[in-house]
Amino acid sequence: MVDGKRILSLKNGRSIFMDEEVQMIPPFIIDGKNTAEVFLSNMDYAQVGGAVVVQEVIDGNQNSYLTEVQQRYPNRFCCMGMAWNVEEAKSVIDAGLKGIAFPGHRLKESLLTLLPVFKLMEKNGLICSMCLADDEQQIGQMAEVIQECPQLKVAIGHFGMPTTKSFKSQVLLARLGKHVMIETGGITWLYHPEFYPYPTAVRRICEAAEWVGIERLMWGSDYPRTITAITYRMSYDFIEKSSELSNREKTLLLGENAYDFYGFKNLPELPYIKNMSE
C-alpha cells in the first residue's frame, strides 16, 4: 500500500498500481519478476556493460535479493539498498550493497530527518540515489544535506524532473558539491507523449550541461518500466544519434561519468549482435 492505494503484481507484466490495472513491465515477463538474468540478457543485447539498480517503495524492499545479485555479478551491477533509519542503513552496509536509494518524493517528513543516515553513508562511502518531489522545499532540504555531508556522493534521479518548474533548481544542486550528479533515469517516461527520438529531452540535457557541465550528467534508463513502450537500446540511442551533442559529450554522458562515480571496474566489451530482421 502506498498513500493508501494498492500495489499488486498480477500476471503477464501487469500490476494493480494505485488501484488501477496497468502494464507495469513488458508482457513477456509473465511471472512479474525482472530478474538479474533477464536484465543481463537485455544489457548484453543493448551493449550495456554495467547497471545501477535503485529501489522504489512501490516494489517493496528488495534488499535481500539485491544482496544476492551484488554477490553473484559484482562487475555488472551496482545495487542500492533501501533504508529509512540508521539501523536499516547499517544492515545495508553489512550486506555489501553500494548505496541507498531514496524515493524522496514519497517521503512525508523533511529530508533532514534522515541526516543521521546521510552522515553514516558519508562515513562509510555509500552512494545516495535520490528522487525529489518537484517542490522547492524539498530541493532546499537536499541542498542542506549536500552542504552538511560534503563527501557524500549524491545522484539526483529523474533528471531533476525536466517537465516541471523545479527542473533548473534540481539540476543546480550539482553546483553545491563536487560529488553531486544528475542522472537521466525516467526521461523517456517523462517525454513519452512526444516519443522517440525525444527531441525536447535532448534539449533539456543540453540545457543542464550548460548549467552544470556535461561532467555532472549521467545516463539512466529507468528500466524495466520504460521498456513497455520502447526497447532498452532505444532508451539511450536517441542520445547517441542526436546531432545536438558532441561525440565527447556522448561518451561522458553515456558511460564515463557513471563509471567513475559508481566505481565500476572491468566492464565487459560487448559485441553488436545483428537482428535476424536486419
Side-chain angles (χ1 to χ4, degrees):
M1 303 293 290
V2 177
D3 295 332
K5 296 184 178 181
R6 239 180 352 154
I7 313 286
L8 177 67
S9 290
L10 301 175
K11 62 180 181 179
N12 299 337
R14 296 180 183 180
S15 293
I16 300 296
F17 177 67
M18 300 300 191
D19 290 336
E20 178 185 12
E21 184 172 340
V22 300
Q23 192 72 47
M24 183 74 85
I25 54 179
F28 54 78
I29 304 181
I30 59 175
D31 61 358
K33 297 178 181 180
N34 176 59
T35 63
E37 290 73 26
V38 169
F39 191 13
L40 281 167
S41 180
N42 273 283
M43 290 167 64
D44 290 351
Y45 170 74
Q47 297 174 275
V48 175
V52 180
V53 184
V54 299
Q55 296 197 52
E56 232 275 34
V57 293
I58 62 175
D59 301 308
N61 188 306
Q62 301 286 323
N63 287 358
S64 179
Y65 179 65
L66 291 182
T67 298
E68 296 177 20
V69 171
Q70 190 66 68
Q71 292 169 351
R72 275 185 291 165
Y73 307 107
N75 295 332
R76 299 299 300 272
F77 293 120
C78 175
C79 295
M80 302 283 164
M82 183 174 283
W84 295 105
N85 57 53
V86 168
E87 289 306 311
E88 291 176 351
K90 288 179 179 177
S91 295
V92 169
I93 295 168
D94 292 341
L97 295 169
K98 303 300 183 180
I100 297 176
F102 298 93
H105 55 301
R106 307 281 186 198
L107 187 65
K108 304 302 181 185
E109 300 83 17
S110 168
L111 290 175
L112 297 178
T113 62
L114 295 170
L115 194 56
V117 176
F118 297 132
K119 291 279 189 182
L120 181 67
M121 293 172 65
E122 180 185 34
K123 180 180 178 181
N124 288 273
L126 265 66
I127 298 166
C128 172
S129 173
M130 176 65 72
C131 289
L132 295 169
D134 56 354
D135 63 78
E136 294 294 333
Q137 183 177 12
Q138 200 170 56
I139 297 168
Q141 293 164 3
M142 194 66 223
E144 289 191 51
V145 170
I146 293 167
Q147 291 164 344
E148 285 285 330
C149 305
Q151 298 305 311
L152 177 65
K153 285 187 172 184
V154 178
I156 303 296
H158 292 167
F159 205 56
M161 295 301 290
T163 56
T164 72
K165 293 180 180 179
S166 71
F167 175 47
K168 188 171 185 177
S169 295
Q170 289 204 34
V171 171
L172 290 180
L173 288 170
R175 287 187 179 180
L176 300 181
K178 61 181 180 179
H179 301 299
V180 183
M181 305 285 281
I182 313 295
E183 54 96 349
T184 71
I187 200 168
T188 60
W189 153 63
L190 291 167
Y191 287 99
H192 176 71
E194 180 179 87
F195 205 64
Y196 186 89
Y198 308 107
T200 306
V202 173
R203 288 195 291 271
R204 295 294 89 82
I205 291 170
C206 293
E207 286 178 352
E210 290 179 3
W211 297 334
V212 299
I214 195 70
E215 296 79 10
R216 293 301 184 90
L217 308 182
M218 303 184 293
W219 170 72
S221 67
D222 216 16
Y223 168 103
R225 280 183 267 273
T226 48
I227 65 164
T228 55
I230 60 174
T231 67
Y232 187 40
R233 181 184 291 275
M234 288 167 70
S235 70
Y236 74 80
D237 77 354
F238 78 95
I239 296 171
E240 200 168 59
K241 292 176 180 176
S242 172
S243 61
E244 300 296 313
L245 295 159
S246 69
N247 288 337
R248 180 56 182 161
E249 288 173 325
K250 293 173 186 177
T251 297
L252 291 171
L253 176 65
L254 294 174
E256 282 193 17
N257 293 342
Y259 188 89
D260 293 336
F261 182 79
Y262 291 107
F264 282 107
K265 293 181 175 66
N266 303 317
L267 291 180
E269 291 288 334
L270 297 165
Y272 176 75
I273 303 298
K274 181 182 177 180
N275 289 322
M276 181 181 176
S277 58
E278 291 181 51

